[in-house]
Amino acid sequence: MSIKIVVDSASEFTYEEAKSLGLYFCPLSVTFGDKEYKDSIDINNQKFYELLEAADELPKTSQVGPFTFQEAFEEIVENGHTALAITLSSKLSGTYSSARLAAQGFPGKVFLVDSLSATIGEKILVLYALELIKTIDDPEEIVKKLEAKREKITICYLLDTLEYLHKGGRLSAAQALAGSILSLKPLCGLSNGEVEVVAKARGLKKGMEKLADTIRLAEDYDPDMPAMMVYSGNDPKGLNKFKDLYPDIFGKDIESIPVSVMGSTIGTHVGPGTIGLAFFKK
């Protein structure tokens, strides 16, 4: 018997990447008009951002349903293994609730962890879990370690545009216009599983400076744990500019930190041009 990890697509693992790592992949969905796509199954990131930038209205994103989790759990348990599902924050989506509902049919065989994070914050927790299952075969012990470490995750990201927050009803037209005129760039993070605005800067360069300061001031950064960078959209120029301005973070070459592309779950709400970084504190 071994432990098999189940992830949702909000973790920024693509289907192919998850498959290569032995992860079971449960996609959220994104709907443009009357056309629904399973994230990373029916639509890749490039196509998603092409549709997003062309759309007058924001697409709708939908949580993973219980049946999708049930199918993954059934396959794992029928093969004699134990399932460990790590999900998008329960405060951002009903995906965790779906996993919990599906798990009721597999007592003692399915274990759940609410990441209380999203995008690369969720991803680095999964990467940590992959390391844990190499040496620990007790799922309850792994759950305890993951729940302790999720409190140590710092994720911060810089938005390039307010357009998508406005389209999604999170900003009024007046707020969006004022922000555009002033070239405001919000710096966001996750606190207790929910999104919060950490700071605002005028202009992209100032925003990148605040992002770098947020990272550099994290003196208790844990170099032995995974870290990751992210960008949204089909052009990494914003992230590349940040790397040029700040070639070393935490005293090491920024090029050594792996990069993911933000998918539809969060990309819908922030739009292209967002950059960010997630890491563990000691």
Side-chain angles (χ1 to χ4, degrees):
M1 183 188 77
S2 60
I3 298 171
K4 301 295 181 182
I5 298 175
V6 181
V7 299
D8 58 56
S9 59
S11 62
E12 311 304 12
F13 287 101
T14 65
Y15 171 73
E16 291 300 328
E17 186 181 8
K19 188 177 178 182
S20 71
L21 292 170
L23 302 170
Y24 284 73
F25 184 82
C26 294
L28 283 85
S29 299
V30 59
T31 302
F32 288 89
D34 58 0
K35 180 69 173 177
E36 182 179 83
Y37 303 89
K38 291 182 179 178
D39 193 13
S40 196
I41 302 289
D42 303 323
I43 189 170
N44 60 25
N45 286 334
Q46 179 175 344
K47 182 64 175 177
F48 163 70
Y49 282 107
E50 289 173 357
L51 292 174
L52 181 67
E53 293 191 59
D56 292 328
E57 296 182 357
L58 281 190
K60 294 179 174 61
T61 56
S62 302
Q63 67 196 49
V64 181
F67 182 68
T68 302
F69 280 116
Q70 181 182 328
E71 288 185 313
F73 297 159
E74 278 180 353
E75 182 176 338
I76 292 168
V77 172
E78 286 175 1
N79 287 322
H81 305 302
T82 299
L84 172 61
I86 302 172
T87 74
L88 170 65
S89 172
S90 60
K91 297 182 180 181
L92 299 177
S93 167
T95 294
Y96 175 78
S97 293
S98 291
R100 186 173 57 186
L101 184 61
Q104 291 176 2
F106 306 90
K109 295 294 184 180
V110 174
F111 296 82
L112 306 178
V113 174
D114 178 354
S115 73
L116 293 179
S117 193
T119 183
I120 53 172
E122 182 182 350
K123 190 169 190 175
I124 60 174
L125 189 66
V126 174
L127 292 176
Y128 175 54
L130 283 170
E131 290 301 311
L132 291 177
I133 65 173
K134 291 178 181 178
T135 57
I136 302 173
D137 59 10
D138 180 355
E140 292 183 344
E141 182 181 351
I142 291 176
V143 168
K144 287 179 182 177
K145 287 182 176 292
L146 292 174
E147 288 181 342
K149 280 294 185 183
R150 73 184 176 188
E151 308 299 328
K152 304 295 185 180
I153 294 173
T154 292
I155 178 170
C156 45
Y157 50 99
L158 176 70
L159 277 64
D160 183 47
T161 176
L162 299 176
E163 175 185 353
Y164 297 87
L165 292 177
H166 168 50
K167 283 184 177 180
R170 288 169 171 80
L171 284 180
S172 68
Q175 288 173 317
L177 178 60
S180 177
I181 292 171
L182 295 173
S183 191
L184 288 180
K185 309 295 181 184
L187 185 69
C188 299
L190 281 168
S191 178
N192 297 317
E194 296 183 288
V195 177
E196 65 173 5
V197 176
V198 177
K200 294 177 183 176
R202 292 190 66 173
L204 190 58
K205 190 172 181 180
K206 282 288 186 182
M208 289 184 178
E209 182 180 326
K210 282 188 176 292
L211 177 61
D213 286 344
T214 299
I215 297 166
R216 288 185 303 209
L217 290 172
E219 297 175 354
D220 54 350
Y221 160 72
D222 190 341
D224 297 323
M225 294 291 288
M228 187 159 292
M229 302 198 74
V230 71
Y231 70 92
S232 66
N234 289 327
D235 189 343
K237 64 181 180 182
L239 185 61
N240 291 339
K241 181 177 180 180
F242 182 79
K243 288 180 176 182
D244 289 341
L245 289 170
Y246 305 98
D248 73 293
I249 293 288
F250 307 126
K252 67 182 190 181
D253 181 2
I254 199 169
E255 293 294 345
S256 68
I257 301 175
V259 174
S260 282
V261 180
M262 188 178 286
S264 65
T265 305
I266 305 299
T268 291
H269 305 288
V270 301
T274 294
I275 62 172
L277 188 142
F279 57 91
F280 286 91
K281 297 180 290 185
K282 289 183 180 177

